[in-house]
Amino acid sequence: MDKTPKDSLMVKQVSFIVVVRRIRTLGIAITVGIAAIYLMGLLVISDKVKEEMYILNLSSVILLAFSIPLIIAIRKILLKKVNLSNFQTTYFNAHIIPFAILDFTALFCISTNLFVNPNFVFATGGVIISIAAMIFLLPKEEFFEEIKTRG
């Protein structure tokens, strides 16, 4: 049985690299968006802290922190389904779904701690957690070697 050029391992590897770069670009764009919201929030942060709403500040940071293991688990489950024949969609989804969850929880934390009830420390912590998680979630080109063995 002849292999078409489209089935070649080298073509698949180049396609994989293109997918990785698209995902990285999207991850970087989301990270820049998170940082931009944070920086804009710093410009309008007020000193009108409502002590009775402190639980909202704390819960938003806890939600962000607890979402990280969930995001990692979702990504790990989705990455198990990736193989050479479906990597373009499955590998993309294995990153985009965690990116969306991280983006939601990060923006919730930042907006709660800068716009709803100002808390500079929690907002800064949320940004640091979010950026660190995004860096961890960015795709690696080396993953191609792993899926190559799956067939």
Side-chain angles (χ1 to χ4, degrees):
M1 191 154 87
D2 290 335
K3 282 189 164 185
T4 63
K6 205 173 188 178
D7 294 333
S8 144
L9 192 59
M10 182 180 280
V11 170
K12 288 190 183 275
Q13 188 168 10
V14 169
S15 296
F16 183 80
I17 291 169
V18 169
V19 169
V20 166
R21 289 185 180 164
R22 284 183 183 160
I23 296 169
R24 281 186 189 158
T25 302
L26 188 57
I28 291 167
I30 290 170
T31 304
V32 168
I34 290 169
I37 297 295
Y38 172 74
L39 293 173
M40 287 306 193
L42 291 179
L43 295 176
V44 298
I45 194 168
S46 72
D47 57 353
K48 297 177 183 165
V49 178
K50 300 173 190 122
E51 292 300 324
E52 67 275 2
M53 292 184 69
Y54 180 78
I55 192 70
L56 182 62
N57 295 84
L58 184 60
S59 62
S60 69
V61 175
I62 291 172
L63 176 67
L64 175 61
F66 281 144
S67 73
I68 305 299
L70 173 69
I71 290 167
I72 292 169
I74 290 170
R75 180 173 165 244
K76 188 175 184 179
I77 290 167
L78 293 174
L79 285 177
K80 286 181 182 178
K81 298 176 183 179
V82 177
N83 59 42
L84 282 178
S85 63
N86 70 3
F87 71 85
Q88 288 188 326
T89 56
T90 311
Y91 191 69
F92 190 77
N93 291 340
H95 287 84
I96 298 310
I97 293 168
F99 283 3
I101 296 168
L102 177 63
D103 188 41
F104 170 77
T105 55
L107 291 177
F108 179 72
C109 177
I110 293 165
S111 61
T112 299
N113 288 296
L114 289 178
F115 303 114
V116 177
N117 193 34
N119 189 319
F120 174 76
V121 173
F122 284 169
T124 303
V127 168
I128 292 169
I129 291 169
S130 303
I131 291 174
M134 184 59 78
I135 290 169
F136 177 78
L137 289 173
L138 289 175
K140 315 277 184 290
E141 290 177 11
E142 299 82 40
F143 188 72
F144 186 78
E145 296 302 318
E146 185 178 326
I147 63 170
K148 199 166 62 169
T149 61
R150 294 181 190 173

